[in-house]
Amino acid sequence: MTALLDIRNLTAVFPGGRRREPVRALSGLTIALEKGESLSVIGESGSGKTTLLRCILGHVSPSEGSITLFGQDTASADGAEMTALRRRCAMVSQDPYGSLPPTLTVLEAAMEPWLLVRGKHAAGEGEERARNLLAELGLRDETILSSRVRLSLSGGQRQRVAIARALILDPELLLCDEPTSMQDASTRGEIIGILAKRQQSGMSMIFVTHDLFLARKAAPRGIVLHKGLVVEEGLCRDILSAPKHPYTRALVAALPRLTSHGRPK
């Protein structure tokens, strides 16, 4: 069976500026993802997580290695072919303030990808889908749906609008870059549950996070990135309970622990 996503020896190097050394964002990364499979990518800021997602979508060209997406080598894809590949994917950006169109209402922002692909003649179906997704994500109030994104939404609400935008076209591959960083614990769990339902229907997902507990909830399998290198991989529960690499052990040691009084240390 051909993997939905097959990455081999991916290396991404950004040129340095004047008197600065080139920056190696990724080095020799190899992963594969099947239909309906999910993967957590764990690491701190600067570890290469976002660069990986941008390479998959063709926004960053690899310095070495290859990326095969839906059976197509992205390096050999022309503009039209790359556009077609991207339409089978969706991405939830790390920045819900910069990634949403500020002049649109919440409902319009959620509908926009649908209208761009399906056309205005499908606006009725798009609005229904957008309303259902927003309601599933806890945004039901008509006052919120009709308000402009830039005026009245919290960071957590913006993240949920971004997730609705990403899901409206039923992507085959969803790339999530810290998609719940501004949610409280209960909402975070609900969003993971919503994404898990889509995976049961065949959607694949890469879930980027610095939170090992969240990584375990989002996907059974994970990799740990450190300075662009995969330093550990396997089942997330094993990575969390018995980390092997010193960097992973440091991440686990930094997690909050409950005291005998039920409070974090």
Side-chain angles (χ1 to χ4, degrees), residues 49-51 53-54 91-95 159 175-181 206-209:
K49 307 186 305 294
T50 299
T51 300
L53 302 187
R54 290 176 57 79
M91 181 166 171
V92 182
S93 173
Q94 187 175 15
D95 177 16
Q159 280 188 323
L175 306 175
C176 293
D177 194 354
E178 301 276 8
T180 62
S181 59
I206 294 180
F207 191 96
V208 161
T209 182

Side-chain angles (χ1 to χ4, degrees), residues 26 50 79 83 88 97 101 113 115 133 168 170 202 207 211 217 232-233 237-238 240 260:
L26 293 170
T50 299
T83 297
R88 299 172 69 178
Y97 288 90
L115 296 178
L133 275 169
I168 195 167
D170 294 324
F207 191 96
D211 185 328
K217 291 181 180 178
E232 193 151 351
E233 59 184 309
R237 65 171 185 244
D238 295 338
L240 189 58
S260 58

Side-chain angles (χ1 to χ4, degrees), residues 15-36:
R18 182 177 295 179
R19 299 180 181 177
R20 292 184 179 179
E21 294 294 322
V23 176
R24 183 174 286 264
L26 293 170
S27 186
L29 186 147
T30 295
I31 59 174
L33 200 67
E34 304 290 345
K35 179 180 174 63

Side-chain angles (χ1 to χ4, degrees), residues 193-214:
I194 289 167
L195 298 178
K197 282 188 351 187
R198 267 63 184 187
Q199 291 168 65
Q200 291 168 7
S201 300
M203 183 186 79
S204 302
M205 180 175 73
I206 294 180
F207 191 96
V208 161
T209 182
H210 65 278
D211 185 328
L212 276 81
F213 287 136
L214 190 59

Side-chain angles (χ1 to χ4, degrees), residues 1-27:
M1 180 184 294
T2 302
L4 179 143
L5 173 67
D6 191 6
I7 297 175
R8 302 288 180 93
N9 195 35
L10 175 63
T11 298
V13 180
F14 296 109
R18 182 177 295 179
R19 299 180 181 177
R20 292 184 179 179
E21 294 294 322
V23 176
R24 183 174 286 264
L26 293 170
S27 186

Side-chain angles (χ1 to χ4, degrees), residues 102-129:
T103 59
L104 299 184
T105 68
V106 168
L107 185 58
E108 289 168 345
M111 286 176 59
E112 186 182 40
W114 178 275
L115 296 178
L116 290 173
V117 173
R118 302 297 174 89
K120 292 184 178 180
H121 66 277
E125 184 182 356
E127 178 175 345
E128 182 180 5
R129 290 173 69 89

